[in-house]
Amino acid sequence: MLKMAGNKSYTIVEYFGGDSGYRCGYCKNDEGNFSHGMWSHTMTVQDYQDLIDRGWRRSGKYVYKPKLNKTCCPQYTIRCHAPKFQPSKSHKKVLKKMSKFISNGELPKEQDGGQPMDSVCDEARPREPSSVCPSEVKRAAITDIQKELPECPAITEVQKEQIRQHADGDSSIVCPTPPTPALTKQPKPLEDFISGSMPDNSSHCLEVRLVRSSPPSPQFKASFDASYQVYKLYQMAIHKDPPDKPSESQFRRFLCDSPLEAEHSPDGPEVGYGSFHQQYWLDGRIVAVGVIDILPACVSSVYLYYHPDFASLSLGSYSALREIAFTRQLQKQSPKLSYYYLGFYIHSCPKMRYKGQYRPSDLLCPETFAWVPIEQCVLQLENTRYARFNQDPDAGDARVLKDVGRALVLYRRAVMPYAAYSRKGKGSSDELEVQQYADLVGQDCAEKILLYRA
């Protein structure tokens, strides 16, 4: 990472644009998927937090932003407010299924209802442009990111009881009077379902280990091959990849390489910020791995892969619930780290709507970049694929680009504003490209991130 006076670290990116369409993995449109892309040589966790809060997302070191008003299946950034999360009936079923398996050792015979528990198919991945490659780091095409964690909505038992109590009451009552605290049954927290008491003679032992993947920790290096072998089996069984496709280099590029540098701060979580693997060890062997980023305001889910022999345990759903619990744990150490980002919500693809059941959750407005409760957004998405969620007609992008001249560029190892770069006679040919890039990242990020100029 480039560091200047005062030990300031910089994010360095190369912008690729994104004018051509590619195959959509959701609706199978051959050229309907559109996104902007850039290669990140290195990135601070705060810059990435700011970028994902503008609709960007990483796959390896490639960072992309879907063109929501043009792409066939719009992908909206979704986050869950982890401290307020309460598991639904179907969530509890998944957690109890795992507890039962650990206790008595018997795998369920089949998955629940054919749920899409894992990542989207390879065709849904962002495509790195073939006509331009990042300077000094030429990469092959990247694969998709985001696991699937299927669930169904459920009304809590407390809500049901309140409805029954007031069903025959005065119709003028808009909100039922809540029962007194003494009569209210407090819902069981998520952690109680995860770490419930197990008998001493349990058939299995499940341990979740957090290992830093970038830069790789000794624990990550020691378990690398075992983790890769699970990934290879997963890709072959779940995504029907031929044996040579999930290569070790592809695994490294997709799930191990990360532009995020390891960072620590006095008010941050003890484990620090950056990219990690959460390894699920069952009786001494890895059966699943959740790839996550720990950022200043959130835990961001990147991918989940698991051993096909354990597919009936709904490991996609289980890992998401564990990651929400992990976010809650980190929030106690760092109060502003309170959200769990599930990647993208795709309402136009019915099997991808399950992410909206991890509530309370919000979707990111694609025009103002304000967070809006998903209940409001879904009403709009029922009528149109693309929607502006912010209902205030006067609201705009608080970080809208105002002066492209203040955007920072890196030219011949020197950091300078784009205006100074242009005065050198270097900016005439790329002004439209730089303008487009700066519009997408916003004024604040444009003034912090270094755009590489050859």
Side-chain angles (χ1 to χ4, degrees):
M1 181 174 283
L2 179 67
K3 293 192 176 183
M4 306 297 287
N7 205 35
K8 176 178 172 58
S9 297
Y10 280 104
T11 293
I12 303 174
V13 301
E14 291 182 68
Y15 179 65
F16 291 148
D19 296 325
S20 59
Y22 55 95
R23 179 175 171 80
C24 175
Y26 306 108
C27 70
K28 311 306 180 186
N29 186 320
D30 285 338
E31 296 181 344
N33 204 344
F34 290 84
S35 66
H36 303 278
M38 55 189 182
W39 186 267
S40 177
H41 292 276
T42 186
M43 184 171 286
T44 68
V45 292
Q46 185 59 60
D47 285 346
Y48 185 48
Q49 178 73 65
D50 293 340
L51 285 174
I52 63 173
D53 286 341
R54 292 185 68 83
W56 292 84
R57 189 127 185 106
R58 79 172 184 90
S59 177
K61 290 190 174 184
Y62 186 69
V63 187
Y64 66 102
K65 175 180 170 66
K67 294 184 178 181
L68 299 189
N69 60 352
K70 187 175 182 181
T71 194
C72 51
C73 296
Q75 304 163 56
Y76 298 93
T77 302
I78 182 173
R79 71 179 187 183
C80 170
H81 194 188
K84 296 181 180 179
F85 173 79
Q86 285 293 337
S88 68
K89 184 177 180 180
S90 57
H91 294 150
K92 294 173 185 176
K93 186 176 180 181
V94 169
L95 294 168
K96 290 176 180 177
K97 179 166 61 174
M98 177 63 78
S99 296
K100 184 176 179 181
F101 166 68
I102 293 173
S103 177
N104 64 26
E106 293 183 15
L107 277 170
K109 293 183 179 180
E110 58 185 20
Q111 296 176 193
D112 296 329
Q115 299 169 332
M117 303 188 313
D118 47 79
S119 62
V120 295
C121 55
D122 283 342
E123 289 84 353
R125 72 184 184 276
R127 186 181 65 183
E128 181 179 338
S130 58
S131 59
V132 59
C133 299
S135 306
E136 304 175 0
V137 190
K138 188 173 182 179
R139 301 293 187 185
I142 35 195
T143 50
D144 64 16
I145 62 169
Q146 187 55 38
K147 61 188 175 190
E148 304 309 325
L149 319 164
E151 295 306 338
C152 300
I155 299 176
T156 66
E157 293 302 317
V158 173
Q159 290 171 321
K160 289 179 182 177
E161 181 60 30
Q162 290 178 348
I163 292 171
R164 284 193 293 267
Q165 289 176 0
H166 297 276
D168 299 322
D170 188 341
S171 60
S172 66
I173 299 177
V174 178
C175 276
T177 304
T180 61
L183 300 178
T184 301
K185 182 180 179 182
Q186 294 299 320
K188 192 175 179 180
L190 173 63
E191 290 76 7
D192 284 4
F193 288 97
I194 293 175
S195 58
S197 58
M198 287 290 172
D200 294 334
N201 60 345
S202 292
S203 298
H204 297 292
C205 175
L206 178 67
E207 179 186 3
V208 181
R209 302 178 189 174
L210 182 74
V211 297
R212 185 178 287 278
S213 55
S214 180
S217 66
Q219 296 85 355
F220 179 83
K221 292 178 180 178
S223 59
F224 176 86
D225 186 64
S227 183
Y228 164 61
Q229 294 303 327
V230 173
Y231 170 76
K232 187 172 183 178
L233 290 171
Y234 172 83
Q235 292 295 119
M236 292 166 60
I238 307 301
H239 292 304
K240 312 304 179 186
D241 283 358
D244 60 333
K245 185 176 181 181
S247 65
E248 183 177 312
S249 61
Q250 188 258 3
F251 172 64
R252 286 184 183 274
R253 184 175 64 249
F254 174 34
L255 295 177
C256 304
D257 292 347
S258 169
L260 302 181
E261 297 291 325
E263 297 182 35
H264 290 80
S265 68
D267 58 347
E270 294 175 6
V271 297
Y273 301 112
S275 296
F276 297 81
H277 283 195
Q278 270 198 325
Q279 302 173 337
Y280 292 77
W281 290 76
L282 181 69
D283 302 332
R285 68 164 174 153
I286 296 177
V287 295
V289 177
V291 182
I292 61 172
D293 293 328
I294 300 178
L295 305 176
C298 73
V299 169
S300 174
S301 173
V302 178
Y303 201 76
L304 183 282
Y305 58 94
Y306 54 81
H307 196 295
D309 288 353
F310 299 93
S312 61
L313 286 174
S314 303
L315 290 170
S317 299
Y318 181 76
S319 67
L321 295 166
R322 291 291 300 242
E323 287 168 8
I324 291 174
F326 179 59
T327 305
R328 290 153 67 110
Q329 176 187 335
L330 297 182
Q331 197 263 344
K332 294 177 181 178
Q333 304 168 12
S334 182
K336 67 177 182 178
L337 201 166
S338 60
Y339 292 98
Y340 175 62
Y341 284 49
L342 295 94
F344 290 129
Y345 174 82
I346 308 168
H347 192 79
S348 59
C349 182
K351 71 175 184 179
M352 293 295 292
R353 296 178 184 178
Y354 68 88
K355 294 181 182 179
Q357 305 309 324
Y358 292 82
R359 298 190 180 187
S361 58
D362 308 307
L363 296 187
L364 187 68
C365 176
E367 296 181 11
T368 66
F369 304 106
W371 292 100
V372 179
I374 193 170
E375 293 86 351
Q376 298 178 30
C377 304
V378 166
L379 295 176
Q380 294 177 261
L381 294 176
E382 286 293 324
N383 299 316
T384 177
R385 292 192 173 194
Y386 174 79
R388 170 193 165 110
F389 300 136
N390 193 325
Q391 296 298 295
D392 181 356
D394 298 324
D397 176 6
R399 295 175 174 81
V400 66
L401 181 70
K402 297 177 180 177
D403 184 1
V404 69
R406 299 209 306 265
L408 291 184
V409 301
L410 178 64
Y411 177 63
R412 292 185 176 178
R413 301 189 64 80
V415 177
M416 64 188 74
Y418 182 69
Y421 172 78
S422 297
R423 286 196 293 270
K424 294 177 180 287
K426 304 295 183 181
S428 59
S429 62
D430 64 0
E431 185 174 354
L432 289 178
E433 178 183 298
V434 175
Q435 178 79 37
Q436 185 182 65
Y437 151 80
D439 278 333
L440 291 166
V441 302
Q443 187 73 45
D444 290 358
C445 284
E447 292 185 32
K448 295 188 299 175
I449 295 173
L450 305 186
L451 178 64
Y452 178 80
R453 299 284 86 188

